[in-house]
Amino acid sequence: MPQTFTTVASVPVDPRTARVHEEGWQSWSPSGSYALDDIPHRPADTNWATVCYRPGRTVPPATFQGEGLLALDPGDGSPVRLWAAPDPRRTVPSIRLTVRDGRAEISADGPVTESAHTGPDGIQGALAAWADGLGLPAPPPAPTVWCSWYEYFTAVTEDDIHENLRAMDTLELPVDVVQIDDGYQSALGDWLTLSGRFRSRAGIADAIRARGRRAGIWTAPFLVAPHSELAARHPDWLVRDSDGAPLHAGHNWDHDLYTLDATHPEAAAYLTDVFATLRAEGYDYFKTDFLYAGALDGVRHSGADAPTAYRAAIALIREAIGADAYLLGCGAPILPSIGLFDAMRVSPDTAPHRRPEADDYSQPGQDAAEFTGAGRQWQHRRLWINDPDCLVARPAVETRERWAAHVEATGGLMASSDRLLSLDAWGLATTRRLLSSGGAA
């Protein structure tokens, strides 16, 4: 559907010193500040446009665009100006900025509010003041975490979890939560059916808790694989496109992705059962990933719009796991997630390498994770605890010292994701120091 943009402001700027902040749509969407002659980061291919950016919101050349939030430092000593969605939990307009004849022209495809900030810290200060104005309660402190992902990826086994659990004791590492990431399940959507590399999900949770630690687990609750039992048995549980076919939610894991329609009563009951079962097995830390899928526009059973359906589905998850469980969002639409999570990934994935593929700053890479993680520092302890992504400190990690310094400086959720016995002296000392800090920057 074509977007109609209406001019909302015209601001004189100093083109040499002015800066503009774009707020990206979701966790992995590039977000940060640019000089007016910079070329902002955009998707390098159509799949990434769906999976990592805001689908259907192509940005013209020489245009800055924030999703629900855009800030401008005019560079001439005048106040920072900020434009935002009046109710960011419900409606997120795209807000554009172009420069013409020494003026920044601001337009939006929906209602926005405008504010001026004369306090300290420039654009970050203006964004922080906006977040403070939402009046959210302070998020609970984050536990320290060990996560299986960046060492084992989808090939993780139950024995890998037990090895690292023992190593935490041997190495005396202050890990609160041992979190199993992607790879334990048989297919996306079949969360309660184990892959052949795992024997007992409840047994792992028991072993973790027996050692005085908390059990954590990963899900992508809105993604469904075409080859899953869920898709085969319950095709009516899927969000549809306008032609009645399953909505395309992108491509990953070498297959297309479908989306669970949590407004369907039976699908909602299944979603509740998944998380209630995991909680009953002893898991009380939940990393929920690829959440963008739950906020894709499509045809849902109830007829609800995407933001309403997304927030209702997260509320179902929270009710199933209980208020005392810890809920981390990732790949999540940022503004529609306000008020729903204890912690939030605020950047794309890190990686053992620095540059992201095709220089697309939504893709895994330390440069991309640092850019957006720094650009969203204003969210920390205001909207949630920021998750800058995991520390990876083993010798094979490129520029590991620089990445560790970024993670430490954020003061956010501290998580290690190495095979602990593979750490050398520097990696072990750094991992211990960051975990011991508990996120105190």
Side-chain angles (χ1 to χ4, degrees), residues 176-177 209 213-217 278-279 281-286 318 321-322 324-327:
D176 299 321
V177 173
R209 297 168 70 197
R213 307 184 196 272
R214 297 168 60 184
I217 199 160
L278 295 173
R279 183 62 202 264
E281 290 176 347
Y283 294 91
D284 69 352
Y285 176 99
F286 295 87
R318 171 57 81 182
I321 64 176
D324 58 332
Y326 203 84
L327 186 59

Side-chain angles (χ1 to χ4, degrees), residues 216-428:
I217 199 160
W218 174 94
T219 60
F222 305 129
L223 288 186
V224 178
H227 61 274
S228 66
E229 287 292 316
L230 188 153
R233 294 182 178 181
H234 304 288
D236 55 324
W237 292 6
L238 303 177
V239 178
R240 299 284 160 172
D241 63 22
S242 58
D243 295 324
L247 182 70
H248 180 66
H251 187 92
N252 204 347
W253 295 274
D254 297 321
H255 58 72
D256 288 337
L257 303 171
Y258 297 158
T259 299
L260 183 73
D261 180 2
T263 73
H264 190 293
E266 293 178 2
Y270 170 72
L271 188 67
T272 296
D273 181 59
V274 166
F275 283 92
T277 298
L278 295 173
R279 183 62 202 264
E281 290 176 347
Y283 294 91
D284 69 352
Y285 176 99
F286 295 87
K287 178 183 175 182
T288 50
D289 206 350
F290 291 82
L291 297 180
Y292 74 89
L296 291 173
D297 291 330
V299 179
R300 290 174 168 82
H301 179 83
S302 72
D305 62 78
T308 300
Y310 168 74
R311 289 184 64 86
I314 299 298
L316 281 176
I317 293 171
R318 171 57 81 182
E319 184 177 4
I321 64 176
D324 58 332
Y326 203 84
L327 186 59
L328 165 64
C330 186
I334 291 294
L335 298 191
S337 294
I338 288 173
L340 298 177
F341 293 91
D342 299 310
M344 176 64 68
R345 170 73 72 75
V346 291
S347 71
D349 283 10
T350 188
H353 51 270
R354 181 143 288 278
R355 300 298 298 175
E357 184 179 349
D359 271 344
D360 185 316
Y361 267 49
S362 72
Q363 295 305 292
Q366 295 169 36
D367 281 343
E370 288 176 12
F371 173 80
T372 296
R376 285 179 167 152
Q377 191 63 19
W378 60 274
Q379 298 176 7
H380 184 46
R381 295 200 179 102
R382 294 182 175 90
L383 305 185
W384 35 60
I385 297 295
N386 279 12
D387 172 15
D389 207 6
C390 298
L391 172 69
V392 278
R394 56 189 181 270
V397 174
E398 181 182 339
T399 60
R400 58 179 178 163
E401 296 86 356
R402 178 173 161 182
W403 175 247
H406 168 75
V407 173
E408 187 170 21
T410 67
L413 190 151
M414 291 292 165
S416 164
S417 194
D418 292 297
R419 176 175 178 259
L420 295 173
L421 295 179
S422 74
L423 293 171
D424 61 3
W426 183 91
L428 180 58

Side-chain angles (χ1 to χ4, degrees), residues 77-293:
S78 62
V80 174
R81 308 277 283 274
L82 184 145
W83 296 268
D87 185 356
R89 300 168 180 86
R90 306 296 178 187
T91 305
V92 183
S94 295
I95 309 169
R96 288 179 175 171
L97 183 150
T98 58
V99 180
R100 187 180 303 111
D101 299 327
R103 301 186 71 87
E105 307 293 342
I106 317 301
S107 61
D109 67 352
V112 297
T113 61
E114 180 179 343
S115 58
H117 176 71
T118 56
D121 301 325
I123 284 176
Q124 285 281 310
L127 293 164
W130 177 81
D132 287 337
L134 297 174
L136 298 175
T144 58
V145 180
W146 178 86
C147 166
S148 64
W149 178 246
Y150 286 108
E151 180 73 56
Y152 305 101
F153 298 97
T154 58
V156 64
T157 69
E158 183 166 334
D159 290 340
D160 295 327
I161 304 300
H162 287 295
E163 179 201 277
N164 284 278
L165 181 60
R166 293 189 297 270
M168 292 167 205
D169 288 346
T170 302
L171 301 173
E172 299 181 336
L173 290 174
V175 174
D176 299 321
V177 173
V178 179
Q179 184 233 306
I180 306 166
D181 213 278
D182 185 11
Y184 69 89
Q185 77 286 353
S186 62
L188 299 175
D190 298 339
W191 302 110
L192 299 181
T193 306
L194 293 175
S195 70
R197 297 181 302 279
F198 282 75
R199 299 179 293 275
S200 171
R201 206 175 39 244
I204 300 174
D206 288 343
I208 293 170
R209 297 168 70 197
R211 291 178 179 267
R213 307 184 196 272
R214 297 168 60 184
I217 199 160
W218 174 94
T219 60
F222 305 129
L223 288 186
V224 178
H227 61 274
S228 66
E229 287 292 316
L230 188 153
R233 294 182 178 181
H234 304 288
D236 55 324
W237 292 6
L238 303 177
V239 178
R240 299 284 160 172
D241 63 22
S242 58
D243 295 324
L247 182 70
H248 180 66
H251 187 92
N252 204 347
W253 295 274
D254 297 321
H255 58 72
D256 288 337
L257 303 171
Y258 297 158
T259 299
L260 183 73
D261 180 2
T263 73
H264 190 293
E266 293 178 2
Y270 170 72
L271 188 67
T272 296
D273 181 59
V274 166
F275 283 92
T277 298
L278 295 173
R279 183 62 202 264
E281 290 176 347
Y283 294 91
D284 69 352
Y285 176 99
F286 295 87
K287 178 183 175 182
T288 50
D289 206 350
F290 291 82
L291 297 180
Y292 74 89

